[in-house]
Amino acid sequence: MKILNKLSNINIVKTLALLIPLLSSCQDFLEENPPGILTKSNFYKTEADAISAVDALYATIQSRTNGMYWGEFFSKTDVNTDDMFVDPGVGNVAWQEWGRLNIYPEIGQLLDVWNHHYLMIGRANAAIEYISTDLEIRDRLLGEAKFFRALAYFDLVRFFGDVPMTYSVITNLDDAVQIASTRTPSVEIYNMIEQDLLDAEKDLPDTWAGANAGRVTAGTAKGLLSKVYLTWAGEPLRDVSKYQLAADKAGEVVNNRSRYGYDLEDNYMDVFENDLSKESLFEGQMVQGLGNEGALAGIQFLPRNLTPILGPSYRGNALMRPTPDLINSYDPSDLRLQTAFFTSLSNADGSATATFDPHVFKYIEVEDILYQGLILNDGNRNTKILRFADILLIYAEALNEANSGPTTAAFDAIDEVRNRAGLIDLSTTLSQNDFREAVYLERRLELFAENIRWFDLVRQGRYISTMESFSNTLQDYPNPATASTMVIEKNVQSHFNLLPIPKSQLDILELEEDIQNPGYQ
Amino acid sequence: MKNKLLLLHKEIIMYSFYGLVIQLLIGTVVLATEVTHAQKNASVKDTNISFQFTSKNLETVFREIEEKTDFTFVYTAKEIDTEIKMNGDYINAPLYEVLMDISKKTNLAFRQYNNNITVKKAAYTKRETTTEFVEIVQDVDISGKITDENGEGLPGASVVAKGTANGTTTDLEGNYKMEVPENSVLVVSYVGYITQEVTPNGRNVIDLQLQLDAAQLEEIVVVGYGTQKKSEMTGSVASIDNVAIADRPISNFVDVLQGNAAGVAVNSTSGAPGSGVQVRIRGIGSINSQIDPLYVVDGLPFTGSLNSINAYDIESIEVLKDASATAIYGSRGSNGVILITTKKGTNGLTIDYNGSYNIQSLRKKMDLLDATQYAQLANEAELAIGNPERYSSSDIAAFHNNGKGTDWQDEIYRNAIMQNHQISVRGGNEKMKFYMSGNYLNQEGIVKTSQFEKYTMRANIDADITKKLSVGNTLSINRQFNSGVAVGTTTRDNNGDSNVVWAALVTNPTLQIKDEDGNFNSNVPDPIFDNPVALINGNLRQSNTTEIIGSLYLNYDLFDWLSIKSTFGFGLLNSMEGKYTKKFIIGSSDGRAIRNTNQNSNWISTTQLNINKEFGEIHKLNATLVTEAQEVQDEAFSATATGFVVDNLLWNNLSSGSVAQTPTSSASKWSLLSYLTRINYVLNDKYLLTVSGRYDGSSRLAQGNKWYLFPSGALSWRVSEESFMSSVNAVDELKFRVSYGESGNQSVGTYNTLSRLTSVTAIIGANENQNIGFAPANFVNEDLTWEISKQLDIGADVTFLEGRVGLTVDYFNRKTEGLFFNKALPSVVGTTGVAATTNIGSVRNKGLELEVDATVLDVEGFRWDVMGNFTYTKNKVLALAENDTIITGFSGDFGNGSDSQILAVGGQLGVFQGYLNDGLYDSDASLTIDGSTRAPGDLKYVDVNEDGNIDSKDKVVLGTGIPNKFWGLTNTFGYKGLSLSVFLMGSHGNKLVNLTRQVTSLSLDGKSNNNLEVLNRWTPQNTNTNIPRATALRPSTKFSDSWLEDGSYIRLKTITLGYQLPQYMLEKLNVRMLKLYVTATNLITFTKYTGYDPDVSVSGSVTQQGFDQGVYPQVKSFMLGLNIGF
């Protein structure tokens, strides 16, 4: 008590003053230093940082939250063609609309196409711009990033035509709107794609192995570039001078196959059953059980009714079923028809069997998935983005166009693909036009359900006509499992050579002038 | 004899509580020893001392005397002239003599009181008669009775010897007995009464009658960083006292606000025990940001869970509404502020027990098809698409329960018990006061297995250490257990949270709960839903939360007009959540366990200077200056494992699962630094002015944009004080108020203004390694600043008829500018998040509030009080990004609701947009919708623009999901000890999207069960109906007016009948108070809404207002309660 009484007013004030938060002087009280988050200012410095920045690009071709290569792609490239249709029982409105070609600027998943590709570009731009120039492996890493950037723009330009283009990181809101409002002519974008891929093939190694297997190589870049040239030469730009470049570039891959470690697998189904096989130039690696890293393809192609073998609870989505038109395009002896499609499935002990119209078997993991985990939408099969058979056919097609007729090398290339399918060599007397048709058909038979058909038809200038003449009922199958007379609806319109720019993206821009693709206004 | 024993018992309790308090109050032990009664002490005359000193200063002499004797000198430094050197030599001399000598030399006066010797300067110099300057005080016994203005004994009044801490409080009859130093002046005080002083003058019995203090009775209102007299308030503040809390079943104190305060809209998001409610003060002022008010408990901004505040500890709740009141909270005030004041100690001792027992049941059961009716519909649906019938007539004949099948609602709901027990002790004296309580709440949910349990403890202590220095603390500790079944808003989310409420409405009634083997049947034909009973038993959730919130303060009165107060507050919230999905639940064949833990800690330090000065009779000035710093930290951890052999271990042993997912963790921190001031100036008691400003800096904003000044001003005119009003006798008080000011909203996410990276998994390499990649996560807007809300308030308060009627009217106009807006960015920015937080747009809320408080009758013991409030609000979107309309909504399980709300300039918030239903197709099913044709009996929409096609151009505005009028009305009737309180409330003007009915009445696919109304479905024979045909292939539906229902309702929220024992019986029982009551809640509701309850929302988000799907229903309840006080 005495002590307290001794305290004078002055002492009390002094004591309390100590409690006053004298924080006005220390500015860092309001400074943010996130303990659990990396920021731009403390990243991109070390080799580990830089590799990690590039690895984020691989996520865009594999993770279901970062990209569309895990399964969504099919609706824009296969189910909207004469190859595939959506099972009528599918409740997903967006898929049904893609299948019936009811395509409009708000259609479901269209935005994903747009977003995921610009995401890939944004990550590539950030890596290219920010990775420290002091790093020895910078050129190689930039090569990988440039490949992804080229891949993204190549997809975009094929889907949408002229698109907004940026080759640097956007940091300002006004810049973002300005860039997004400007549709850069496709040819300029092709020039940039070419440059990126040339850089990539220069700075990347020929092969990768071990923990790096699956990364982009010089061969990957060359292979993609050959496809870029071939597309550039076709519709709508029709720069036929690019056929020679396509042939040259494909030739560099085909004729140096041992250098890059490429070749055809012995059996067609090995391509799909094996990961990172020698036939693969580039693929999205899928892993089951991690949550977001598995493939959707299995359940997408699986028949809906598997009750006899799996009970009523489990079923496929049958988002994509092959049309009778595709099935009937095969020679009955074609090994691809025999192995890559199926019309029945038995349970593990063989005690029960479900039968159905033909469905695609390429992606169905019977042993691994169906009979065990039953996690149907989380598959292990990698998504093939670029494979050697594709390059062989590009080579054949480009040679035929560049040389006004098929060369020996062109025949060799297509026959290599045909022979594996159990088909005999093409007649060497084919005219340029007959050979062209033969390659077109071969591409369809070889590459079905691999995100290629729509691009091919458009490039070949015959998507609209093909779809206009398309007419199938389910009874058109050689051996229909059901007697359904259902007509497969494909309501093509003349402007469907390009997809519409997603409406919500245009809405953001608040433009006076409509920059939507023709026909979609 | 019995009475004496009881009294003794009471005293023992009282003193043991004092002891407890003392233990809690470290640092005030000194004081506590004074509180206890003094023993008889030796006098300075009887104490001899031997010592010798030469040229020593006075302090040293005192210290030596203290060492040699039991006496202690009490003085302040300025009393003693330390320059004076003392000499002396004593051998066995009485201390009295020593002191006399010192007194002569120093002109000091000594006064012995017990073991203390106080030292004071002598009032005047009179060296000749120095004997007067050493004084010895003896204790004498004094007793008496303190009575109130009616002569009744006043229990709990404080009697203290003036200038000492020595005192006591009166007992139940108002009697007291104490020992005081002789010639002490007694100070007798009691809250609400004028404090009186009395000099015994040798008397040993002193009785005293206290008089009511009109000035003190005047209502004191808690405002930000202080209190104000209600008459001097310039802002708009709604007060709710603890009376409203006492007799209702309350698990969350926010329930009390519903219907009890004008301008405060309270809406339930779920009826689940322990679940939240949303509170909106004066409309909705933000679109994408926080719209909850700021809660401030005992002066400290509160970041914990609202559940942790024990309603029964609340003394009062104040809702700050206008800018003059909220601007003092600056960057967090724009959505209004709710101040909660917990109970504090009082003079005297009271012990209260409040217990209640409550039976809750489903308020309304939905009428669903029974098994036979369902089977008939399912068959019809299959036939419609050419399939065979699903149920043969023999199947139907064999259905269990006489063909009725399983009533899944009966299987999941139950009558549930809620009980609440609170014991509290309040006590203290002039020097120290305390409040302590313990509370236990156990609320079963009406969905089986759901339960909420809560334990709370509180100790609030205030103590005056000296006349000028006081300290105190608040401390609350609580632990909550929330367990039961998962109730998600959708069928099944990523965590396996199925919605059992929803499942019970749609599950096939022909199913038995279990099959012959005792396994749960899964729902056929569409196993998208689990069997509801399986969900209850297999989808287990539990969370437990511990919260510790406390504060310490130190207050020092520098002068009688200036005080400084420093407060330090601390809060810690720790929660553990466990989720387990058993193997028999669909999609979880391996069993799945999730463990989440989250810790939130915060500290806040506030130092304030309070100035309170009157200049003559004319000017009154009251000013507050504050500096404040706060830091909040969040840490979280989550782990998941699957692949369990057995289900028994739940979430308690993740390592027993064979597959572990990568655990996740996160941490964040934000801080706020503020300087603020408020000045109240009163002129002539007539003209009142309040000016305030708060300068806030927040860590969440970008460098250069962190600081903002929030100003406010208010003027008020007490017309009733004017001389010209003196002739108007009917009006007691009339006051006009006007205020304008700014407050803000800072609740943008942490680290939003930093360029962040997000981690992604990339599979690379022959062995499919999971490489972690880092990618740009967000687009940074470096110009981000506060949302600013500018509010004008014009109001009037009037009381007339001798205070029997009180009326408050307020008009407000609140405009929020620079709304936090997640502006969608063009995807070319290439970041994972393609939206940037920007300050775009503006929203206005205008409205009118009315509060009435009247005593209608007060005759012959009968009293009828009415308390009512009414609020009308209207909101309008004033600006968005140029030409922008924002489409939002809630998708629901069957889609199509996600684009049902539109936000457009000039429109309201929460506006629905959709198609107009045009009955059903009959024979004219030629019109195509989305390219597909429709059949007779399908839903038909109006082709508004008559272009022959139903597309988005045919959408029209269909109403809003936000009510614009709400009110509450409480009628209280009292007669002697009986009281009846009837609380009615209403909410009007909104539409609700009944997503449940969309499925149960408009989607007749035979897969999920339907409402009984589908018996009137379209068939070729029954075409005059709005219920579509049954078909297994349901054509896609569009969001139309048939999904919407009027959400208005009037509800008899509570009705309480209470009986308070009369005084003579209480005296017999020796209790202070005893009250019994019964309360019925949600007894009657008038509404057109056909869902479970119109007080509903699946989401608190502004952009998802008015959706109902599978929300845990509200309950109806009957409660029996007992309040007893000693």
Side-chain angles (χ1 to χ4, degrees), chain A residues 439-511:
Chain A
V439 177
Y440 286 176
L441 176 63
E442 206 56 51
R443 287 186 68 82
R444 184 182 192 192
L445 302 179
E446 174 70 22
L447 302 167
F448 72 94
E450 292 183 49
N451 300 323
I452 285 174
R453 180 66 177 166
W454 184 73
F455 291 142
D456 270 358
L457 286 172
V458 170
R459 171 174 70 79
Q460 294 154 4
R462 54 198 194 116
Y463 174 59
I464 307 297
S465 58
T466 302
M467 298 315 296
E468 275 171 353
S469 60
F470 178 87
S471 163
N472 266 179
T473 71
L474 293 189
Q475 269 190 319
D476 294 337
Y477 284 118
N479 306 300
T482 61
S484 175
T485 56
M486 195 201 87
V487 176
I488 300 173
E489 276 184 73
K490 296 279 181 185
N491 307 312
V492 76
Q493 294 190 46
S494 61
H495 54 275
F496 283 1
N497 277 323
L498 290 177
L499 295 183
I501 295 176
K503 181 171 183 300
S504 58
Q505 283 288 302
L506 293 178
D507 288 348
I508 290 169
L509 303 172
E510 298 163 6
L511 297 175

Side-chain angles (χ1 to χ4, degrees), chain B residues 1051-1119:
Chain B
R1051 169 167 283 176
L1052 179 57
K1053 184 76 185 169
T1054 58
I1055 174 163
T1056 300
L1057 181 66
Y1059 178 67
Q1060 183 151 11
L1061 255 60
Q1063 194 66 29
Y1064 71 93
M1065 283 181 71
L1066 290 174
E1067 278 169 14
K1068 267 188 194 162
L1069 293 168
N1070 238 305
V1071 294
R1072 192 185 86 248
M1073 186 266 286
L1074 197 153
K1075 186 176 174 185
L1076 284 160
Y1077 57 94
V1078 282
T1079 299
T1081 306
N1082 290 349
L1083 202 55
I1084 307 170
T1085 304
F1086 304 94
T1087 182
K1088 289 179 192 156
Y1089 186 62
T1090 62
Y1092 272 130
D1093 201 285
D1095 180 13
V1096 67
S1097 177
V1098 291
S1099 161
S1101 163
V1102 182
T1103 52
Q1104 297 184 337
Q1105 290 287 307
F1107 291 88
D1108 176 16
Q1109 176 189 289
V1111 174
Y1112 197 115
Q1114 300 287 322
V1115 300
K1116 176 166 75 178
S1117 73
F1118 295 93
M1119 182 172 94

Side-chain angles (χ1 to χ4, degrees), chain A residues 38-83:
Chain A
L38 290 175
T39 61
K40 191 184 98 187
S41 54
N42 60 18
F43 194 68
Y44 298 109
K45 304 275 195 293
T46 68
E47 198 170 294
D49 289 352
I51 291 171
S52 168
V54 169
D55 284 353
L57 283 158
Y58 288 86
T60 61
I61 53 161
Q62 154 263 316
S63 160
R64 67 175 67 176
T65 50
N66 291 277
M68 53 185 294
Y69 281 86
W70 69 294
E72 277 181 31
F73 223 121
F74 294 114
S75 61
K76 290 74 192 175
T77 51
D78 292 290
V79 88
N80 55 343
T81 69
D82 53 347
D83 276 3

Side-chain angles (χ1 to χ4, degrees), chain B residues 368-385 387-391 396 399 506 508-510 525 999-1019 1027-1034:
Chain B
L368 301 178
L369 298 183
D370 66 21
T372 307
Q373 291 163 328
Y374 166 80
Q376 284 156 355
L377 186 146
N379 285 345
E380 205 175 305
E382 296 295 340
L383 286 173
I385 60 162
N387 285 352
E389 292 192 335
R390 186 150 19 109
Y391 300 96
I396 295 175
F399 285 150
V506 294
N508 183 344
T510 68
V999 173
T1000 59
S1001 296
L1002 299 177
S1003 164
L1004 287 67
D1005 60 6
K1007 295 192 175 85
S1008 52
N1009 198 11
N1010 292 105
N1011 195 290
L1012 211 54
E1013 66 175 313
V1014 304
L1015 292 178
N1016 183 30
R1017 62 185 172 268
W1018 189 95
T1019 60
I1027 308 291
R1029 72 187 171 115
T1031 166
L1033 267 183
R1034 187 172 61 95

Side-chain angles (χ1 to χ4, degrees), chain B residues 945-956:
Chain B
N945 67 351
E946 297 180 336
D947 65 353
N949 197 17
I950 302 294
D951 58 18
S952 58
K953 299 185 189 83
D954 296 308
K955 286 186 177 184
V956 295

